[in-house]
Amino acid sequence: MILIADSGSTKTDWRVVSEGRVIQTVTTQGINPFHQSVDYIHDVINNELITSMNDKQSISEIVFYGAGCIGDKCGLLKQQLSDSFPHVNIDVNSDLLAAARSLCGSKEGVACILGTGSNSCLYDGRNITSNVSPMGYILGDEGSGAVLGKLFVNELYKGNISGAIREEFEKDTGLTLQAIIENVYRKPMANRFLASLAPFISTHIDNPVIESLVITNFRNFLTRNVLHYNRTDLAVNAVGSIAYHFAEQLEKAIMEVGMKVGKIYKSPMEGLVMYHSL
């Protein structure tokens, strides 16, 4: 049996797969070797994953895809998994390769991640051939939930969105400007906090100012990242909660920049199970 993992900033989805069928599903906290300590990763694997598994002994292969899995960080995570799953073949890859394999399979394409963070690549059907660095939510990450939250708060408290929506926002979320500043500047995981504002934004997408903000966020992502691949002949495929929940606005932005709309998935897992079952 094969254990497939798709890990983002917030959570990790695990699937135990046998002969193309999902045998078990497990969800744990997100694992990111770029930001998290060895002890933290060890605790997630042993206290959340293994304790939830029905048949650890039958796992013969692990394929892990995750944010922060680049360079020597892949080796660090592979070692942590190997300590808990000895004698198992382990492969650690980036979340971007997960998106490409899920969305494009063995065909050439443009694959994007639009969740808490954002990323994109040009994929030749086997490997990522080009990648514009997303640079994180402070310096980049256009199109992401974190940047969307940042743009929304800016517009809300600088008076560009109606006072009635501001009042509703503070009532529904229990947040004030002071609380937002506290969460962004003085607490960890500011990107997650900002992205957590996306559900409120989604419920008010019929407001022209808010919809324009969402489309602008996607358009900035496309013009500053995807168009640099110079492959307007290829469709834009995307995976992630922001892509999925704002699919209509994403499609508008894609067409505005002169590209074609491809697949839009909430999660790459279904495509990964198919990819690793061929």
Side-chain angles (χ1 to χ4, degrees):
M1 292 194 294
I2 180 172
L3 177 62
I4 303 172
D6 167 48
S7 188
S9 299
T10 306
K11 65 183 177 72
T12 305
D13 288 327
W14 306 81
R15 298 288 188 277
V16 179
V17 179
S18 177
E19 297 180 348
R21 292 191 306 115
V22 175
I23 304 300
Q24 186 182 9
T25 297
V26 177
T27 301
T28 68
Q29 293 185 71
I31 294 176
N32 186 327
F34 193 81
H35 293 295
Q36 295 163 348
S37 68
V38 168
D39 289 341
Y40 178 92
I41 295 171
H42 178 272
D43 287 345
V44 172
I45 294 171
N46 289 278
N47 298 334
E48 296 185 37
L49 171 64
I50 290 179
T51 57
S52 301
M53 293 184 66
N54 297 331
D55 188 7
K56 172 195 168 187
Q57 304 304 322
S58 296
I59 300 298
S60 59
E61 181 181 1
I62 298 175
V63 183
F64 188 101
Y65 297 95
C69 293
I70 53 175
D72 60 351
K73 299 301 180 182
C74 290
L76 183 151
L77 181 53
K78 184 174 181 178
Q79 183 60 56
Q80 289 298 304
L81 288 165
S82 182
D83 288 346
S84 301
F85 293 87
H87 314 300
V88 172
N89 183 39
I90 299 171
D91 189 22
V92 177
N93 304 283
S94 70
D95 56 348
L96 191 55
L97 185 59
R101 287 177 171 176
S102 174
L103 293 163
C104 305
S106 58
K107 296 181 180 179
E108 183 181 30
V110 172
C112 308
I113 298 173
L114 294 167
T116 299
S118 69
N119 209 341
S120 66
C121 71
L122 184 63
Y123 174 73
D124 66 2
R126 296 183 64 185
N127 301 300
I128 292 171
T129 58
S130 186
N131 166 238
V132 176
S133 174
M135 298 180 69
Y137 76 101
I138 294 176
L139 299 176
D141 261 6
E142 302 88 2
S144 69
V147 171
L148 179 60
K150 179 168 65 174
L151 293 172
F152 172 72
V153 168
N154 186 284
E155 294 291 288
L156 191 66
Y157 285 96
K158 291 192 175 180
N160 296 321
I161 296 176
S162 73
I165 290 181
R166 174 176 162 178
E167 290 178 8
E168 185 180 348
F169 170 78
E170 293 184 342
K171 180 181 178 181
D172 288 357
T173 64
L175 294 168
T176 62
L177 178 56
Q178 182 178 356
I180 291 168
I181 290 173
E182 177 76 18
N183 276 279
V184 171
Y185 291 103
R186 296 187 178 91
K187 293 185 178 181
M189 301 296 183
N191 58 333
R192 291 189 192 180
F193 167 75
L194 289 167
S196 74
L197 307 181
F200 182 88
I201 297 170
S202 179
T203 60
H204 293 79
I205 198 65
D206 57 339
N207 179 288
V209 176
I210 292 177
E211 183 178 34
S212 177
L213 183 152
V214 173
I215 294 172
T216 297
N217 189 30
F218 286 140
R219 187 169 58 245
N220 287 342
F221 167 75
L222 294 164
T223 56
R224 297 176 186 178
N225 299 273
V226 175
L227 287 181
H228 286 292
Y229 302 127
N230 296 313
R231 291 299 305 270
T232 53
D233 58 307
L234 296 174
V236 177
N237 304 282
V239 65
S241 58
I242 298 300
Y244 181 80
H245 290 294
F246 296 97
E248 183 179 339
Q249 289 70 41
L250 176 57
E251 289 173 4
K252 289 179 180 179
I254 291 170
M255 290 186 284
E256 280 184 17
V257 301
M259 296 191 74
K260 296 175 289 186
V261 178
K263 298 174 184 175
I264 298 177
Y265 293 163
K266 184 177 182 180
S267 164
M269 186 55 79
E270 183 178 347
L272 288 174
V273 169
M274 185 179 301
Y275 180 88
H276 286 288
S277 298
L278 295 176

